[in-house]
Amino acid sequence: AAKGKVQFLTIGKKGYDAFKATKSKVNNDYAGLYANLSFENASKAAEFIMYAFEQREYDVVEVVYGQFKNAATQIPSTEQFLPIQTIAPVKGASKGKADYMFEPDQDKILKDLVPKILKTQFFRYLLDSNASEHGARMTAMDKATENANELLKQLNIMYNRARQAAITTELSEIVSGAAALSNG
């Protein structure tokens, strides 16, 4: 995209905070979407994006999100949301056209089905990002707990050594005092 022609629609506070410091155009209408994450709310954001694309406000819409692999692994991912990319035919597949009958007609099915698929896909991006955030938090908390336990062990060792040194010093003083009394 040409410089200055990129616009960001941020979902979540961190994304907004990251881009508001730049000179980029940032739309934060849906920044609070994670606070009440549901398919209905995600659908509103997807509808906004689809409408803006239909009105030719955007040439391409790409979604950048954290793809959830597992609690310890999140993969930063970018996928083209609009325009819909066509799938290349499978090699060796039959090239003959099949004659299908659609009820209702094919255009009506596509007109209804494509927006639903896009809304579902957009909701999946949000769920992946949300799961990734929780996984990262869980991993960070686990690591913090491990570090705190290790620090606690080290402090216990230091405390026991200091206590043992104090007891040894006291015993030495008692023995020295007793020896001085018996010699005196």
Side-chain angles (χ1 to χ4, degrees):
K3 184 171 176 69
K5 296 287 185 180
V6 175
Q7 183 177 11
F8 296 96
L9 172 69
T10 58
I11 297 176
K13 186 177 179 341
K14 294 291 184 187
Y16 176 70
D17 290 345
F19 286 111
K20 84 175 175 185
T22 68
K23 303 277 189 226
S24 303
K25 293 180 184 177
V26 181
N27 178 337
N28 68 338
D29 291 346
Y30 297 96
L33 190 58
Y34 283 118
N36 192 11
L37 186 58
S38 66
F39 183 76
E40 291 76 26
N41 292 337
S43 293
K44 290 175 187 172
E47 287 170 0
F48 169 79
I49 294 167
M50 290 185 290
Y51 178 77
F53 182 77
E54 285 175 1
Q55 298 303 310
R56 304 213 186 279
E57 291 180 37
Y58 307 124
D59 296 326
V60 175
V61 177
E62 291 185 347
V63 177
V64 179
Y65 67 103
Q67 184 181 14
F68 180 80
K69 185 173 181 183
N70 59 46
T73 307
Q74 301 82 36
I75 304 165
S77 301
T78 302
E79 289 186 25
Q80 184 172 313
F81 185 61
L82 291 169
I84 299 170
Q85 295 178 318
T86 58
I87 299 171
V90 178
K91 289 183 180 180
S94 167
K95 297 200 183 208
K97 283 197 161 192
D99 187 25
Y100 294 105
M101 289 178 44
F102 294 96
E103 187 63 38
D105 64 271
Q106 185 176 0
D107 291 336
K108 171 88 169 105
I109 290 173
L110 286 176
K111 189 175 181 179
D112 291 344
L113 193 58
V114 170
K116 287 180 183 177
I117 291 170
L118 287 172
K119 289 175 187 178
T120 303
Q121 183 67 22
F122 191 75
F123 189 51
R124 184 188 68 84
Y125 296 143
L126 296 177
L127 290 176
D128 259 4
S129 289
N130 199 33
S132 292
E133 179 190 352
H134 287 295
R137 284 179 193 233
M138 188 176 82
T139 302
M141 293 304 292
D142 186 51
K143 193 65 175 165
T145 301
E146 285 178 22
N147 290 341
N149 286 336
E150 184 62 35
L151 183 60
L152 185 60
K153 285 179 190 176
Q154 291 173 359
L155 288 174
N156 267 336
I157 290 170
M158 288 171 54
Y159 171 76
N160 287 339
R161 284 182 183 161
R163 193 180 78 197
Q164 187 176 10
I167 291 171
T168 302
T169 302
E170 278 185 37
L171 285 175
S172 295
E173 289 174 357
I174 291 172
V175 169
S176 296
L181 286 177
S182 64
N183 287 341

